[in-house]
Amino acid sequence: MTTVLVTGASGFIAKHIVRELLENDYTVCASVRSQRGRDQLTALFPDAQLTFVTLDLMKDDGWAEAFEGVDVLLHTASPFPSEAPTDPEELIRPAVDGTMRALQAAHSAGVRRVVLTSSCAAIYKDKTKPKMAISTRDNWTDPTGPDTAAYEASKTLAERAAWDFVALHPEMKLTTINPGGVFGPPMDEHFGASLFYIEQFLSGGLPGVPHMNAPGVDVRDVARMHVRAIDNEATVGLRFPAVAGVEYLVDLTKTLKEAYPDHKIPTRELPSWLLRFTSLFIPVLRAATNDLGRNMAVVGTDAPEVMGFEYIPLHESVRASAQFLVEQGK
Ligand code: NDP
């Protein structure tokens, strides 16, 4: 049996990865950083023989021992907050240093297969491409660009560090999965920041919709891609954008409004000047002002071809997220 160590196993995406691994007869070693994470996973998978390790991206403790008996590293852990911190290093340091800790410990223990969760955020802000051009896996976000957010820089620098590491250690086989915005049903009520915007739209907290598009994908497909990549040699050395579709946000809010007509969901776009003005008072809109006037589309068609699956349609994922939130009373 192949043993897979999943970092950040308590995360929204990683819980689906753990489920997918167990369903495909892998042995799972779940890395968490707190008892809370451990309790959540035990509650979700009461019959599974999960083993646990406690690892912090910012601390050396435990990494060397964690890889005993491990065959594959799935590195998902990275900070994913709903609002940007004042100091970008709060995201960049754990993302980059944590990736290096994970790769170095895996390499020292003889682990040769690694699947890393990167992001479309590491792709779409490439200064060498016209702003309205569609991105592909060949594009790289400029981590120092004037409209590059701290989170986008953190994902870009962490993924770069991983590719640099395997260039020095070619015996390591790396695949990266680069999801767009991830939607779909959470496994439990602890689901990080992923559904933040859907929650904001459902609760009527936003006056209108930013005029921007975004790549998106279902969490179940993201999990499937991580697990299918493990034994698929054709994925080695490549980045796989996980993108089921690219939609203007207003088209997604219209889908939400159709499903929940009684909620105060905005279905009109805010003119860009008004968005900039409103974002002075509504901090969650601030990030969107960076993305105005840019095509955020990323091509994600390679993954289904190489890994043999069909994406769940994006509108279906968005509806599934909303259904979960509404059932939770949001
Ligand atoms: P979550 O916030 O749910 O998961 C993040 C995980 O990382 C959690 O398990 C968290 O642990 C862990 N983590 C954060 N900081 C540390 C640290 N210092 N030490 C150890 N563990 C840490 O987010 P997602 O599941 O959405 O994100 C998972 C991955 O997917 C991330 O790499 C993210 O960048 C990437 N991604 C996410 C997208 C999305 O839309 N959700 C889109 C593209 C990429 P704890 O539970 O203890 O906080």
Side-chain angles (χ1 to χ4, degrees):
M1 284 251 264
T2 306
T3 300
V4 182
L5 186 142
V6 182
T7 65
S10 53
F12 166 59
I13 295 174
K15 282 174 183 152
H16 277 275
I17 293 178
V18 171
R19 174 191 49 70
E20 188 79 22
L21 285 167
L22 294 171
E23 283 172 12
N24 285 281
D25 295 327
Y26 288 93
T27 302
V28 177
C29 174
S31 132
V32 290
R33 61 170 164 170
S34 67
Q35 184 62 39
R36 204 173 46 94
R38 199 178 280 229
D39 293 344
Q40 289 170 18
L41 287 156
T42 311
L44 275 175
F45 307 105
D47 303 325
Q49 301 283 315
L50 289 181
T51 54
F52 288 98
V53 286
T54 303
L55 299 172
D56 193 306
L57 296 172
M58 296 293 279
K59 295 182 187 150
D60 288 329
D61 311 335
W63 286 93
E65 302 78 36
F67 283 90
E68 238 165 73
V70 168
D71 304 296
V72 177
L73 163 65
L74 294 198
H75 182 52
T76 84
S78 209
F80 184 64
S82 53
E83 277 180 42
T86 335
D87 179 4
E89 291 298 318
E90 277 181 39
L91 301 185
I92 293 171
R93 287 276 58 91
V96 177
D97 297 354
T99 298
M100 292 313 292
R101 280 193 175 90
L103 286 173
Q104 269 156 358
H107 182 258
S108 303
V111 173
R112 296 292 174 254
R113 186 70 180 112
V114 180
V115 181
L116 172 83
T117 320
S118 185
S119 173
C120 281
I123 293 179
Y124 50 53
K125 289 196 179 163
D126 186 335
K127 66 177 172 193
T128 66
K129 126 190 137 62
K131 278 191 168 184
M132 289 313 285
I134 296 174
S135 302
T136 69
R137 61 152 67 106
D138 298 327
N139 292 109
W140 278 94
T141 288
D142 169 15
T144 58
D147 58 357
T148 300
Y151 172 72
E152 293 163 340
S154 79
K155 296 306 285 180
T156 307
L157 293 167
E159 192 193 331
R160 279 266 189 227
W163 288 116
D164 289 348
F165 185 86
V166 297
L168 289 175
H169 303 282
E171 65 280 16
M172 298 279 275
K173 295 176 173 183
L174 175 67
T175 301
T176 68
I177 309 297
N178 296 59
V182 181
F183 302 104
M187 299 272 299
D188 62 14
E189 65 276 20
H190 311 282
F191 48 83
S194 276
L195 306 188
F196 182 72
Y197 280 97
I198 302 226
E199 216 170 327
Q200 293 291 316
F201 286 134
L202 276 176
S203 65
L206 300 178
V209 188
H211 173 63
M212 57 180 281
N213 67 356
V217 66
D218 195 284
V219 64
R220 292 161 287 187
D221 285 334
V222 176
R224 203 192 321 248
M225 287 171 65
H226 280 78
V227 176
R228 291 207 178 181
I230 293 174
D231 288 321
N232 186 336
E233 279 291 316
T235 68
V236 173
L238 291 173
R239 320 166 80 195
F240 283 88
V243 179
V246 179
E247 295 282 0
Y248 275 88
L249 296 191
V250 74
D251 292 325
L252 297 179
T253 65
K254 283 178 185 163
T255 290
L256 290 176
K257 185 72 179 170
E258 248 171 61
Y260 299 101
D262 296 339
H263 281 65
K264 267 181 74 187
I265 300 164
T267 53
R268 290 217 180 140
E269 286 188 334
L270 285 173
S272 298
W273 67 266
L274 187 55
L275 174 71
R276 285 202 175 86
F277 179 70
T278 317
S279 73
L280 298 175
F281 311 101
I282 306 179
V284 300
L285 289 177
R286 221 162 279 158
T289 60
N290 280 337
D291 302 335
L292 293 171
R294 180 187 293 277
N295 188 352
M296 309 294 277
V298 178
V299 176
T301 45
D302 288 331
E305 270 174 38
V306 178
M307 301 182 195
F309 71 96
E310 273 182 33
Y311 284 120
I312 297 166
L314 185 52
H315 285 265
E316 198 177 313
S317 308
V318 166
R319 270 194 297 269
S321 304
Q323 185 182 343
F324 178 92
L325 292 169
V326 169
E327 282 169 8
Q328 297 269 312
K330 306 276 183 194

